[in-house]
């Protein structure tokens, strides 16, 4: 975990037409080895959706923190 | 000395914000205390959202193009050609360099450089496809549709996000209707392919549109992330391992920010400019604003987004100069009409805090869409509302 560099922080609590997965799909695709994207989501449903997406696409969920109604996740290649 | 505001890029976002700024700084412009300069490569302004209608023969090319100069307040300076082609945006030294080698110093900068299509990300994609996203290809698409006699049509979205996010849905439903009216629908398989699950990434719209796709017999293959296209064999292939043979491929090319953003080292890896979601200032640069497709915000890359953002940017920039207007915040507002045929539509209106509630498709909303397009030149572009 200490080795991971955060490439980008994505606030997806209010994602537009690309939705949280559309935005994440793009940024995660640009990740290099040793990098992670920090994702902020609202609601458990979004968190589960991202976890399922990460599993299917072969990304690692390094960390999940609950902050009130929000979830902060670290996703790496 | 006059304070100089540079608008880096014309088209929808740059034109609206330039005109709105001219209104906000009317007195200062008249007294020569402020100068507004728009830089843009092309002398012409193309209304991109109209290209889809043109591809279906519902709009003529001449309706979609105007001279940029004719749309701007007469007090705004407009530079085009080499004099308006930006080669570097130097935010550290507060200057923009153009292709004629001239540095343009600024006190405030608005980045409205838009989107560029990076077809090369998908081998074979451009050669094999038609797209309403490019003017010339939209005209070819019109001709190809006129000559079409049936077969498999694949609609593919290469990557998200992309500009005019509802256009792939519109293309698909307009195509379905167009073919029904020509008696060709039974001879045609329509296949919609999308990078994430569903037909659209917002759940409410996705549910409604999926229902319409199902009723119309449109196949949906998603997630489908295109990796390559074979233009000779006419096969599109996905990361998920699917191969689909087509007779016509209608594509939404990969989008990135403008090349000058990458060359200037001020964007992320896809050349989107880091932007504060509320004030629309470039992050860590209080004298730079970002508007429209150029931002890295997870909002829709749509003309209406740029229009909503223009109120915030013009107000906040004028406030930076005059100091008496207060700070406005962008609420993530978006409005998109969605054509569900060649004479019916619905719409979605949402923001950071409000979800959409699309009404049932009707002729009334189609009329609204057409009127919105028609009013662009006289009302929206000139910031008359």
């Amino acid at each position: 975990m200490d080795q991971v560099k955060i490439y980008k922080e994505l606030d997806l609590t209010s994602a537009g037409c690309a939705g949280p997965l559309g935005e994440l799909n793009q940024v995660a695709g640009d990740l290099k080895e040793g990098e992670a994207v920090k994702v902020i989501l609202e609601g458990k449903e979004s968190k589960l959706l991202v976890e399922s997406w990460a599993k299917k696409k072969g990304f690692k969920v390094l960390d999940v923190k609950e902050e009130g109604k929000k979830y902060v996740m670290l996703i790496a290649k | 000395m006059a304070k100089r505001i540079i608008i880096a890029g014309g088209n929808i976002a740059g034109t609206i914000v330039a005109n709105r700024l001219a209104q906000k700084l009317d007195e200062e412009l008249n007294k020569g205390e402020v100068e507004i300069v728009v830089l843009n490569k092309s002398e012409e302004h193309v209304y991109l959202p109209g290209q889809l209608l043109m591809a279906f023969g519902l709009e003529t090319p001449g309706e979609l193009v105007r001279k940029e100069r004719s749309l701007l307040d007469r007090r705004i300076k407009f530079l085009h050609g080499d004099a308006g082609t930006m080669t570097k945006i130097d935010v550290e030294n507060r200057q923009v360099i153009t292709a004629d080698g001239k540095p343009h110093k600024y006190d405030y900068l608005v980045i409205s450089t838009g989107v560029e299509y990076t077809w090369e990300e998908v081998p074979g994609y451009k050669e094999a496809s038609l797209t309403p996203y490019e003017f010339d290809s939209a005209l070819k698409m019109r001709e190809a549709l006129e000559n079409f006699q049936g077969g498999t049509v694949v609609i593919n979205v290469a990557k998200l996000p992309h500009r005019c996010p509802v256009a792939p849905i519109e293309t698909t439903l307009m195509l379905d209707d167009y073919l029904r009216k020509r008696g060709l629908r039974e001879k045609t398989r329509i296949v919609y392919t999308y990078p994430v699950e569903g037909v659209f990434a917002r759940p409410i719209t996705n549910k409604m549109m999926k229902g319409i796709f199902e009723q119309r017999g449109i196949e949906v293959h998603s997630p489908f992330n295109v990796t390559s296209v074979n233009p000779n064999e006419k096969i599109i292939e996905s990361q998920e391992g699917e191969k689909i043979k087509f007779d016509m491929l209608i594509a939404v090319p990969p989008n990135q920010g403008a090349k000058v953003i990458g060359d200037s080292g001020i964007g992320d890896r896809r050349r989107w400019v880091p932007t504060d979601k509320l004030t629309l200032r470039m992050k860590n640069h209080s004298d730079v604003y970002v508007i429209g497709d150029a931002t890295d915000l997870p909002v829709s890359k749509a003309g209406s987004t740029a229009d909503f953002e223009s109120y915030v940017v013009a107000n906040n920039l004028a406030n930076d100069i005059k100091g008496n207007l207060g700070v406005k915040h962008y609420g993530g507002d978006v409005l998109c009409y969605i054509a569900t045929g060649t004479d019916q539509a619905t719409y979605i209106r949402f923001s950071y805090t409000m979800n959409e509630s699309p009404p049932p498709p009707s002729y009334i909303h189609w009329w609204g869409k057409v009127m919105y397009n028609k009013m662009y030149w006289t009302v929206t572009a000139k910031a008359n509302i």
Side-chain angles (χ1 to χ4, degrees), chain B residues 10 48 91 109 122 210 222 295 299 344:
Chain B
L48 177 100
V91 292
L109 174 69
V122 182
K210 259 178 89 173
S222 66
T295 76
V299 295
Q344 55 165 276

Side-chain angles (χ1 to χ4, degrees), chain B residues 131 140 179 187 209 220 249 341 347 368 377:
Chain B
T131 182
K140 284 182 190 157
L179 294 172
K187 294 179 188 167
M209 292 299 155
V220 176
L249 174 62
Y347 67 86
W377 300 118

Side-chain angles (χ1 to χ4, degrees), chain B residues 204-277:
Chain B
I204 294 170
T205 308
N206 179 50
K207 192 178 172 193
M208 178 186 192
M209 292 299 155
K210 259 178 89 173
I212 298 176
F213 274 47
E214 210 175 297
Q215 280 166 19
R216 307 249 193 117
I218 296 162
E219 283 180 42
V220 176
H221 294 229
S222 66
F224 185 104
N225 288 276
V226 59
T227 49
S228 66
V229 181
N230 184 328
N232 300 321
E233 292 181 29
K234 295 193 169 187
I235 292 173
I236 182 167
E237 202 168 339
S238 76
Q239 205 177 60
E240 290 74 17
E242 261 194 274
K243 287 182 182 183
I244 308 173
K245 193 158 171 47
F246 59 85
D247 296 292
M248 185 188 290
L249 174 62
I250 302 175
V252 180
N255 284 201
Q256 288 199 22
K259 187 172 175 292
V260 67
I261 300 298
D263 292 347
S264 306
I266 57 171
D268 64 16
R269 285 181 191 146
R270 294 197 73 78
R271 309 192 303 226
W272 310 125
V273 183
T275 307
D276 182 90
K277 68 187 268 192

Side-chain angles (χ1 to χ4, degrees), chain A residues 5-33 35 42 45 49 53 56-57 59 70, chain B residues 159-162 165-166 194-197 200-202 223 225 239-240 255 268-270 272 274 277 283 296-301 334 336 348 350-353:
Chain A
K5 187 181 160 200
I6 309 285
Y7 161 58
K8 207 172 170 71
E9 182 176 312
L10 269 185
D11 180 353
L12 299 177
T13 52
S14 51
C17 285
L21 290 187
E23 297 285 346
L24 185 55
N25 211 33
Q26 176 217 187
V27 174
D30 290 340
L31 285 177
K32 293 177 181 167
E33 288 300 330
E35 288 183 338
E42 194 163 284
E45 202 180 319
L49 194 69
W53 167 89
K56 268 188 211 162
K57 300 283 283 188
F59 288 99
K70 293 182 181 174
Chain B
K159 282 180 193 288
L160 297 172
H162 60 82
V166 299
Y194 197 64
V196 297
E197 190 78 38
F200 195 64
R202 288 188 68 87
N225 288 276
Q239 205 177 60
E240 290 74 17
N255 284 201
D268 64 16
R269 285 181 191 146
R270 294 197 73 78
W272 310 125
K277 68 187 268 192
K283 285 186 180 164
D296 74 337
L297 300 177
V299 295
S300 305
K301 295 189 183 299
V334 179
C336 291
I348 51 174
F350 59 90
S351 69
Y352 289 147
T353 54

Side-chain angles (χ1 to χ4, degrees), chain B residues 275-296:
Chain B
T275 307
D276 182 90
K277 68 187 268 192
L278 298 175
T279 63
L280 301 177
R281 277 200 176 98
M282 180 179 174
K283 285 186 180 164
N284 304 317
H285 292 275
S286 61
D287 52 354
V288 182
Y289 290 88
V290 195
I291 187 167
D293 297 349
T295 76
D296 74 337

